[in-house]
């Protein structure tokens, strides 16, 4: 980063760690939006995984938590949410689904602060006995963090499948899988982590989840940044993640940001507006993550229903940026990118 860039970072005046946390939370929220609404799968997995890590892997709580938040990011853009696929019970044979752990790990590895988390994401469908995917690793070839995310993921799927008995059946099933699907010590730590309150019931109260998330984030230790990155560098990588959803949008957000920056310079904007505009440009299509690739890839004109979904993406961008306190003021700057001077734009 140039000296000028550094100065711009300072002038934004936000706590980068907090913005980073909230960016991740917003990203996981975007991944969990589909036609059926908000699933909160990623949040629930992260909350349980972080709590389990506090029992057995206390110095990696943040890495495990982020791995939980982003574990299914490799499934971004799939027609149906990965959760529904898992709940259907049919063995996953679709190669795109089978690749989601590897794809997700590769995406998250782009963020230097999340290298450790990416290792856990890679392993979240591996089994203790070697019957999992993608590498059939077994026993101590597996990381404890990866096994924690696997258990937390399984809990959320089972809670959906067995919703009627407040989660007791889900816990029994996980217990019975110690030593086959899961590392026994991880199951033990997980049971201790969810026993109090009991936590597996607390996470089923969707109205309470945003508060629980806020409270957990506030207590989360900072990630071990071996290569600490300023906010704008993180947001640039983030834009790459948004663009990676769809093959036609490669580099789109980065280009929009640099055009916006040049135009703003030309009309005489100074800092911190320039920094703000670059970030708004980088994140303008954030809400597009929730539009299925089936629609974005469609060969031919979109029908009315498909258009309705596409036209929602700027409002979703605003909704997601509102979660990030340090970027909240940019929500409607970013979300206004399909508005028109004559009022015929959207949203
Ligand atoms: Fe998964
Ligand atoms: Fe999952
Ligand atoms: Fe857009």
């Amino acid at each position: 980063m140039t000296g000028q860039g550094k100065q711009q970072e300072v002038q934004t005046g936000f706590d980068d760690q907090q913005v980073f946390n909230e960016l991740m939370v917003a990203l996981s929220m975007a991944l969990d939006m589909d036609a059926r609404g908000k699933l909160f799968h990623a949040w629930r997995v992260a909350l349980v995984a972080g709590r389990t890590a506090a029992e057995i892997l206390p110095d990696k709580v943040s890495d495990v938590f982020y791995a939980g938040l982003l574990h299914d990011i490799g499934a971004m853009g799939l027609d149906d949410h990965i959760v529904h696929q898992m709940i259907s019970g049919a063995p996953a044979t679709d190669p795109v689904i089978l690749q989601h752990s590897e794809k997700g790990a590769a995406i998250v590895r782009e963020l230097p602060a999340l290298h450790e988390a990416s290792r856990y994401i890679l392993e979240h469908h591996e089994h203790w006995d070697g019957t999992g995917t993608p590498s059939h690793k077994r026993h101590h070839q597996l990381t404890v963090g990866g096994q924690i995310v696997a258990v937390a993921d399984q809990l959320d799927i089972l809670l959906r499948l067995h919703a009627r008995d407040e989660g007791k059946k889900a816990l029994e099933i996980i217990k019975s899988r110690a030593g086959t699907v899961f590392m026994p010590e991880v199951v033990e730590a997980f049971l201790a982590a969810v026993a109090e309150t009991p936590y597996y019931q607390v996470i089923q109260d969707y109205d309470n989840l945003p508060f629980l998330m806020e409270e957990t984030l506030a207590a989360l230790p900072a990630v071990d940044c071996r290569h600490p990155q300023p906010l704008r560098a993180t947001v640039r990588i983030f834009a790459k993640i948004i663009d990676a959803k769809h093959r036609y949008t490669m580099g789109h957000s980065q280009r929009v940001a640099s055009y916006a920056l040049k135009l703003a310079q030309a009309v005489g904007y100074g800092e911190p507006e320039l920094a703000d505009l670059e970030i708004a440009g980088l994140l303008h299509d954030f809400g597009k993550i929730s539009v299925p690739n089936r629609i974005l890839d469609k060969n031919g004109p979109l029908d009315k229903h498909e258009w309705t979904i596409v036209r929602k993406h700027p409002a979703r961008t605003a909704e997601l940026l509102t979660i990030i306190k340090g970027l909240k003021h940019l929500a409607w700057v970013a979300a206004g990118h399909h508005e028109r001077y004559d009022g015929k734009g959207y949203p």
Side-chain angles (χ1 to χ4, degrees):
M1 166 156 280
T2 62
Q4 190 196 4
K6 255 184 197 145
Q7 196 187 0
Q8 288 165 0
E9 286 309 329
V10 173
Q11 283 176 350
T12 59
F14 297 114
D15 175 348
D16 284 4
Q17 180 67 42
Q18 190 190 340
V19 176
F20 178 86
N21 281 346
E22 289 169 353
L23 263 173
M24 296 306 136
V25 170
L27 175 59
S28 65
M29 168 86 109
L31 296 170
D32 266 352
M33 283 173 172
D34 75 353
R36 303 179 211 198
K38 288 175 196 151
L39 293 165
F40 292 114
H41 173 60
W43 285 22
R44 306 202 309 172
V45 171
L47 289 166
V48 171
R51 212 172 153 94
T52 305
E55 297 280 334
I56 190 175
L57 202 61
D59 57 332
K60 301 280 185 215
V61 170
S62 295
D63 302 283
V64 172
F65 179 86
Y66 287 120
L69 264 188
L70 303 176
H71 74 282
D72 278 337
I73 195 173
M76 180 167 64
L78 293 191
D79 191 22
D80 204 355
H81 196 281
I82 194 93
V83 168
H84 303 135
Q85 168 75 30
M86 305 290 290
I87 287 178
S88 76
T93 48
D94 181 343
V96 185
I97 298 231
L98 287 172
Q99 284 159 12
H100 83 274
S101 321
E102 286 167 296
K103 203 176 152 200
I107 292 171
V108 172
R109 209 175 298 128
E110 292 255 358
L111 291 158
L114 296 184
H115 276 191
E116 191 64 20
S118 83
R119 292 177 61 206
Y120 305 157
I121 290 172
L122 180 64
E123 293 178 6
H124 82 274
H125 286 292
E126 297 286 2
H127 293 173
W128 181 243
D129 61 6
T131 58
T133 58
S135 307
H136 310 294
K137 285 187 202 165
R138 64 196 290 264
H139 295 172
H140 294 289
Q141 292 171 324
L142 293 167
T143 60
V144 173
Q147 281 282 287
I148 294 174
V149 178
V151 170
D153 188 28
Q154 190 74 203
L155 173 72
D156 192 50
I157 303 292
L158 290 169
L159 285 177
R160 285 163 203 278
L161 268 174
H162 304 283
R164 291 214 185 100
D165 70 346
E166 299 171 320
K168 289 187 191 93
K169 178 86 182 155
L171 289 199
E172 252 171 55
I173 295 174
I174 289 180
K175 225 191 261 183
S176 74
R177 292 180 182 167
T180 52
V181 179
F182 306 119
M183 181 186 193
E185 293 86 339
V186 166
V187 173
E188 212 174 292
F190 158 79
L191 292 172
V194 297
E196 198 188 315
T197 328
Y199 201 67
Y200 61 91
Q201 288 175 3
V202 172
I203 57 156
Q204 292 181 71
D205 176 0
Y206 276 35
D207 294 335
N208 187 40
L209 277 176
F211 303 106
L212 200 57
M213 199 56 167
E214 204 169 319
E215 197 182 273
T216 306
L217 283 175
L220 202 67
V223 274
D224 172 21
C225 291
R226 274 165 299 170
H227 318 279
Q229 281 202 304
L231 173 63
R232 278 164 90 177
T234 303
V235 175
R236 278 183 207 120
I237 298 173
F238 207 78
K240 262 172 83 180
I241 295 175
I242 296 171
D243 290 348
K245 175 167 191 269
H246 190 252
R247 63 180 186 275
Y248 298 128
T249 51
M250 234 19 122
H252 170 70
S253 302
Q254 182 74 66
R255 286 193 297 275
V256 167
S258 72
Y259 301 151
L261 206 55
K262 285 201 171 75
L263 286 169
Q265 276 162 343
V267 293
Y269 275 28
E271 295 294 344
E273 286 84 1
L274 290 177
D276 275 353
L277 269 175
E278 186 187 357
I279 290 176
L282 287 167
L283 299 178
H284 75 285
D285 267 342
F286 197 169
K288 232 184 195 171
I289 288 183
S290 58
V291 180
N293 276 5
R294 165 179 54 84
I295 297 178
L296 297 176
D297 283 336
K298 189 173 176 187
N299 216 345
L302 300 183
D303 64 29
K304 212 175 148 198
H305 173 65
E306 290 162 340
W307 260 119
T308 310
I309 294 174
V310 169
R311 289 166 79 102
K312 273 186 188 158
H313 82 269
R316 287 250 157 110
T317 294
E319 195 182 333
L320 293 165
L321 289 187
T322 306
I323 298 174
I324 307 161
K325 289 189 196 82
L327 303 180
K328 214 173 172 175
H329 62 296
L330 300 176
W332 285 100
V333 179
H337 69 276
H338 287 290
E339 295 293 0
R340 290 173 37 143
Y341 192 58
D342 62 6
K344 289 182 181 162
Y346 62 92

